[in-house]
């Protein structure tokens, strides 16, 4: 029902910046959350950031607070992840996903409810 298309990944030097974009198409409910995940080789996929589409409230994990920002453009059905001060340990495949079971004002932290995924975009940070 929903398709997610990501872009913006690439190769960047440590300390540099990238902005990832994810555009949703298809049928969407009026209240939901979108999140950014990443998965490094040999590691589990982890939720980095989430935003409640209606309220705009955001969530960031501690390791990226002060460096990453999640935002949305409702008119474009697009969520962004602005990544600054990138570190080699940020190297991973980054995914956007949607939690359609999220209602209310808070962004979803329920990783099990993110069931719609983009194809992923590679971010590589060189030292």
């Amino acid at each position: 029902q929903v398709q997610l298309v990501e872009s913006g990944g690439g190769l960047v030097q440590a300390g540099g910046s990238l902005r990832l974009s994810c555009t949703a198409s298809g049928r969407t409910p009026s209240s939901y959350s979108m999140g950014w995940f990443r998965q490094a080789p040999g590691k589990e996929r982890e939720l980095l950031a989430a935003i409640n589409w209606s309220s705009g409230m955001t969530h960031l994990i501690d390791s990226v607070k002060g460096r990453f920002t999640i935002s949305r453009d409702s008119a474009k059905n697009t969520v962004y992840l602005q990544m600054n001060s990138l570190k080699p340990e940020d190297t991973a495949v980054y995914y956007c996903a949607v939690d359609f079971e999220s209602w209310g004002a808070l962004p979803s932290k329920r990783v099990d409810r993110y069931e719609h995924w983009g194809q992923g975009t590679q971010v590589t940070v060189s030292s």
Side-chain angles (χ1 to χ4, degrees):
Q1 292 291 327
V2 176
Q3 296 81 45
L4 303 174
V5 179
E6 303 165 357
S7 63
L11 175 64
V12 65
Q13 294 183 4
S17 299
L18 287 172
R19 189 177 76 160
L20 306 183
S21 301
C22 176
T23 299
S25 61
R27 193 171 185 176
T28 57
S30 59
S31 180
Y32 57 94
S33 289
M34 295 188 71
W36 284 100
F37 293 74
R38 69 183 178 190
Q39 186 169 26
K43 300 185 67 176
E44 295 182 356
R45 191 174 298 185
E46 64 174 341
L47 175 66
L48 303 174
I51 185 167
N52 182 285
W53 206 256
S54 297
S55 71
M57 294 182 63
T58 61
H59 161 74
L60 295 168
I61 62 172
D62 289 342
S63 63
V64 302
K65 285 182 179 178
R67 299 192 298 125
F68 292 8
T69 303
I70 186 171
S71 61
R72 78 199 193 288
D73 185 334
S74 296
K76 297 180 179 180
N77 259 18
T78 298
V79 63
Y80 303 97
L81 185 68
Q82 178 67 46
M83 304 186 295
N84 299 324
S85 302
L86 283 163
K87 305 174 181 179
E89 50 263 45
D90 294 319
T91 295
V93 178
Y94 284 69
Y95 301 87
C96 66
V98 179
D99 174 10
F100 286 137
E101 305 297 323
S102 178
W103 300 98
L106 297 177
S108 175
K109 303 177 184 178
R110 295 285 301 271
V111 296
D112 59 312
R113 292 181 175 177
Y114 285 93
E115 297 184 343
H116 304 274
W117 297 84
Q119 80 285 356
T121 184
Q122 176 71 46
V123 172
T124 302
V125 184
S126 62
S127 60

